[in-house]
Amino acid sequence: MPAVLAAILAFILLALGILGGVAVSIVRLIKGPKGKQTAQADEDEARLIQDLHKGLTRMESRIDALETIMLERQGKEPRS
């Protein structure tokens, strides 16, 4: 009887180990590759965001200048 119980427990532990390994493998597949590819993608994304920010900052200053020009022109027009 104790040998059968030991065999059943050993089988259960083996099955749990295999299921745990499969679960870890699935999680790794979902998360994707790590390493140089991910680091390079992060650097590219950061560079892209910085370029967008720089462009939007320049656009903001241009809009401010245009607003100033428009307000000056409205002030110089003769009023009827």
mmCIF file of all heavy atoms in Angstrom, residues 1 6-7 14 16 28 31 34 41-42 44 46-50 56-57 64-65 70:
data_model
loop_
_atom_site.group_PDB
_atom_site.id
_atom_site.type_symbol
_atom_site.label_atom_id
_atom_site.label_comp_id
_atom_site.label_asym_id
_atom_site.label_seq_id
_atom_site.Cartn_x
_atom_site.Cartn_y
_atom_site.Cartn_z
ATOM 1 N N MET A 1 0.814 -1.196 0.000
ATOM 2 C CA MET A 1 0.000 0.000 0.000
ATOM 3 C C MET A 1 0.860 1.262 0.000
ATOM 4 O O MET A 1 0.568 2.158 -0.781
ATOM 5 C CB MET A 1 -0.932 -0.048 1.217
ATOM 6 C CG MET A 1 -1.863 1.106 1.306
ATOM 7 S SD MET A 1 -3.231 0.817 0.193
ATOM 8 C CE MET A 1 -4.318 2.021 0.741
ATOM 9 N N ALA A 6 3.164 6.093 -2.741
ATOM 10 C CA ALA A 6 4.376 6.803 -3.140
ATOM 11 C C ALA A 6 4.423 6.970 -4.660
ATOM 12 O O ALA A 6 4.822 8.030 -5.172
ATOM 13 C CB ALA A 6 5.601 6.049 -2.649
ATOM 14 N N ALA A 7 4.013 5.952 -5.391
ATOM 15 C CA ALA A 7 4.014 6.039 -6.852
ATOM 16 C C ALA A 7 2.996 7.077 -7.327
ATOM 17 O O ALA A 7 3.264 7.858 -8.256
ATOM 18 C CB ALA A 7 3.696 4.665 -7.450
ATOM 19 N N LEU A 14 5.355 14.807 -10.726
ATOM 20 C CA LEU A 14 5.880 14.874 -12.081
ATOM 21 C C LEU A 14 4.922 15.640 -12.996
ATOM 22 O O LEU A 14 5.336 16.492 -13.785
ATOM 23 C CB LEU A 14 6.108 13.455 -12.625
ATOM 24 C CG LEU A 14 6.668 13.358 -14.036
ATOM 25 C CD1 LEU A 14 8.070 13.959 -14.093
ATOM 26 C CD2 LEU A 14 6.696 11.908 -14.478
ATOM 27 N N LEU A 16 2.707 17.904 -12.098
ATOM 28 C CA LEU A 16 2.738 19.317 -11.718
ATOM 29 C C LEU A 16 3.979 20.010 -12.267
ATOM 30 O O LEU A 16 3.918 21.163 -12.710
ATOM 31 C CB LEU A 16 2.662 19.473 -10.202
ATOM 32 C CG LEU A 16 1.298 19.185 -9.564
ATOM 33 C CD1 LEU A 16 1.404 19.263 -8.042
ATOM 34 C CD2 LEU A 16 0.255 20.157 -10.067
ATOM 35 N N ARG A 28 6.610 32.896 -21.626
ATOM 36 C CA ARG A 28 7.761 33.404 -22.380
ATOM 37 C C ARG A 28 7.384 33.667 -23.827
ATOM 38 O O ARG A 28 7.846 34.635 -24.425
ATOM 39 C CB ARG A 28 8.917 32.421 -22.313
ATOM 40 C CG ARG A 28 9.620 32.445 -20.985
ATOM 41 C CD ARG A 28 10.828 31.558 -20.992
ATOM 42 N NE ARG A 28 11.490 31.573 -19.697
ATOM 43 C CZ ARG A 28 12.484 30.789 -19.369
ATOM 44 N NH1 ARG A 28 12.945 29.893 -20.232
ATOM 45 N NH2 ARG A 28 13.031 30.868 -18.183
ATOM 46 N N LYS A 31 5.278 36.970 -23.912
ATOM 47 C CA LYS A 31 6.053 38.182 -23.653
ATOM 48 C C LYS A 31 6.959 38.546 -24.812
ATOM 49 O O LYS A 31 7.290 39.699 -24.997
ATOM 50 C CB LYS A 31 6.877 38.028 -22.381
ATOM 51 C CG LYS A 31 6.060 38.149 -21.127
ATOM 52 C CD LYS A 31 6.950 38.264 -19.936
ATOM 53 C CE LYS A 31 6.126 38.548 -18.694
ATOM 54 N NZ LYS A 31 6.962 38.802 -17.537
ATOM 55 N N LYS A 34 13.495 38.796 -25.608
ATOM 56 C CA LYS A 34 14.176 39.807 -24.803
ATOM 57 C C LYS A 34 15.583 39.977 -25.361
ATOM 58 O O LYS A 34 16.092 39.150 -26.083
ATOM 59 C CB LYS A 34 14.274 39.370 -23.330
ATOM 60 C CG LYS A 34 12.950 39.306 -22.634
ATOM 61 C CD LYS A 34 12.466 40.676 -22.335
ATOM 62 C CE LYS A 34 11.175 40.609 -21.558
ATOM 63 N NZ LYS A 34 10.595 41.878 -21.360
ATOM 64 N N ALA A 41 14.419 48.333 -30.082
ATOM 65 C CA ALA A 41 13.064 48.848 -30.312
ATOM 66 C C ALA A 41 12.742 49.957 -29.310
ATOM 67 O O ALA A 41 12.125 50.962 -29.679
ATOM 68 C CB ALA A 41 12.053 47.717 -30.206
ATOM 69 N N ASP A 42 13.158 49.790 -28.064
ATOM 70 C CA ASP A 42 12.921 50.827 -27.049
ATOM 71 C C ASP A 42 13.669 52.103 -27.398
ATOM 72 O O ASP A 42 13.137 53.208 -27.251
ATOM 73 C CB ASP A 42 13.343 50.330 -25.673
ATOM 74 C CG ASP A 42 12.409 49.278 -25.115
ATOM 75 O OD1 ASP A 42 11.291 49.147 -25.637
ATOM 76 O OD2 ASP A 42 12.813 48.573 -24.160
ATOM 77 N N ASP A 44 14.601 53.087 -30.431
ATOM 78 C CA ASP A 44 13.945 53.681 -31.598
ATOM 79 C C ASP A 44 12.664 54.403 -31.206
ATOM 80 O O ASP A 44 12.380 55.496 -31.690
ATOM 81 C CB ASP A 44 13.632 52.608 -32.644
ATOM 82 C CG ASP A 44 14.886 52.052 -33.302
ATOM 83 O OD1 ASP A 44 15.958 52.694 -33.195
ATOM 84 O OD2 ASP A 44 14.802 50.962 -33.899
ATOM 85 N N ALA A 46 11.959 55.687 -28.240
ATOM 86 C CA ALA A 46 12.312 56.891 -27.481
ATOM 87 C C ALA A 46 12.766 57.998 -28.430
ATOM 88 O O ALA A 46 12.380 59.167 -28.260
ATOM 89 C CB ALA A 46 13.409 56.573 -26.474
ATOM 90 N N ARG A 47 13.563 57.652 -29.441
ATOM 91 C CA ARG A 47 14.028 58.643 -30.412
ATOM 92 C C ARG A 47 12.851 59.228 -31.187
ATOM 93 O O ARG A 47 12.783 60.437 -31.413
ATOM 94 C CB ARG A 47 15.029 57.992 -31.368
ATOM 95 C CG ARG A 47 15.744 58.984 -32.259
ATOM 96 C CD ARG A 47 16.832 58.334 -33.119
ATOM 97 N NE ARG A 47 17.841 57.690 -32.285
ATOM 98 C CZ ARG A 47 18.057 56.370 -32.269
ATOM 99 N NH1 ARG A 47 17.356 55.558 -33.020
ATOM 100 N NH2 ARG A 47 18.996 55.856 -31.487
ATOM 101 N N LEU A 48 11.914 58.383 -31.574
ATOM 102 C CA LEU A 48 10.740 58.842 -32.304
ATOM 103 C C LEU A 48 9.904 59.801 -31.459
ATOM 104 O O LEU A 48 9.466 60.857 -31.939
ATOM 105 C CB LEU A 48 9.887 57.648 -32.732
ATOM 106 C CG LEU A 48 8.591 57.954 -33.454
ATOM 107 C CD1 LEU A 48 8.868 58.618 -34.795
ATOM 108 C CD2 LEU A 48 7.785 56.688 -33.645
ATOM 109 N N ILE A 49 9.713 59.472 -30.202
ATOM 110 C CA ILE A 49 8.934 60.340 -29.308
ATOM 111 C C ILE A 49 9.643 61.676 -29.108
ATOM 112 O O ILE A 49 9.017 62.735 -29.097
ATOM 113 C CB ILE A 49 8.671 59.627 -27.963
ATOM 114 C CG1 ILE A 49 7.696 58.465 -28.193
ATOM 115 C CG2 ILE A 49 8.109 60.593 -26.928
ATOM 116 C CD1 ILE A 49 7.511 57.570 -26.998
ATOM 117 N N GLN A 50 10.983 61.648 -28.983
ATOM 118 C CA GLN A 50 11.739 62.892 -28.830
ATOM 119 C C GLN A 50 11.611 63.759 -30.082
ATOM 120 O O GLN A 50 11.455 64.978 -29.989
ATOM 121 C CB GLN A 50 13.204 62.591 -28.536
ATOM 122 C CG GLN A 50 13.436 62.043 -27.146
ATOM 123 C CD GLN A 50 14.865 61.585 -26.930
ATOM 124 O OE1 GLN A 50 15.648 61.487 -27.868
ATOM 125 N NE2 GLN A 50 15.206 61.286 -25.685
ATOM 126 N N LEU A 56 6.673 69.233 -32.391
ATOM 127 C CA LEU A 56 5.492 69.894 -31.837
ATOM 128 C C LEU A 56 5.857 71.188 -31.114
ATOM 129 O O LEU A 56 5.098 72.159 -31.149
ATOM 130 C CB LEU A 56 4.753 68.938 -30.896
ATOM 131 C CG LEU A 56 4.049 67.776 -31.591
ATOM 132 C CD1 LEU A 56 3.505 66.801 -30.552
ATOM 133 C CD2 LEU A 56 2.940 68.264 -32.492
ATOM 134 N N THR A 57 7.031 71.215 -30.482
ATOM 135 C CA THR A 57 7.480 72.438 -29.814
ATOM 136 C C THR A 57 7.730 73.536 -30.845
ATOM 137 O O THR A 57 7.348 74.692 -30.645
ATOM 138 C CB THR A 57 8.758 72.160 -28.997
ATOM 139 O OG1 THR A 57 8.487 71.126 -28.058
ATOM 140 C CG2 THR A 57 9.217 73.396 -28.262
ATOM 141 N N ASP A 64 2.360 80.534 -32.269
ATOM 142 C CA ASP A 64 2.393 81.744 -31.445
ATOM 143 C C ASP A 64 2.793 82.958 -32.284
ATOM 144 O O ASP A 64 2.205 84.043 -32.150
ATOM 145 C CB ASP A 64 3.371 81.571 -30.273
ATOM 146 C CG ASP A 64 2.846 80.634 -29.208
ATOM 147 O OD1 ASP A 64 1.619 80.395 -29.173
ATOM 148 O OD2 ASP A 64 3.669 80.137 -28.401
ATOM 149 N N ALA A 65 3.797 82.763 -33.160
ATOM 150 C CA ALA A 65 4.229 83.871 -34.011
ATOM 151 C C ALA A 65 3.112 84.278 -34.967
ATOM 152 O O ALA A 65 2.867 85.485 -35.185
ATOM 153 C CB ALA A 65 5.484 83.477 -34.792
ATOM 154 N N MET A 70 -1.274 88.005 -36.676
ATOM 155 C CA MET A 70 -2.702 88.222 -36.942
ATOM 156 C C MET A 70 -3.276 89.286 -36.017
ATOM 157 O O MET A 70 -4.067 90.147 -36.449
ATOM 158 C CB MET A 70 -3.480 86.917 -36.789
ATOM 159 C CG MET A 70 -3.125 85.849 -37.807
ATOM 160 S SD MET A 70 -3.510 86.308 -39.482
ATOM 161 C CE MET A 70 -5.279 86.346 -39.425
#
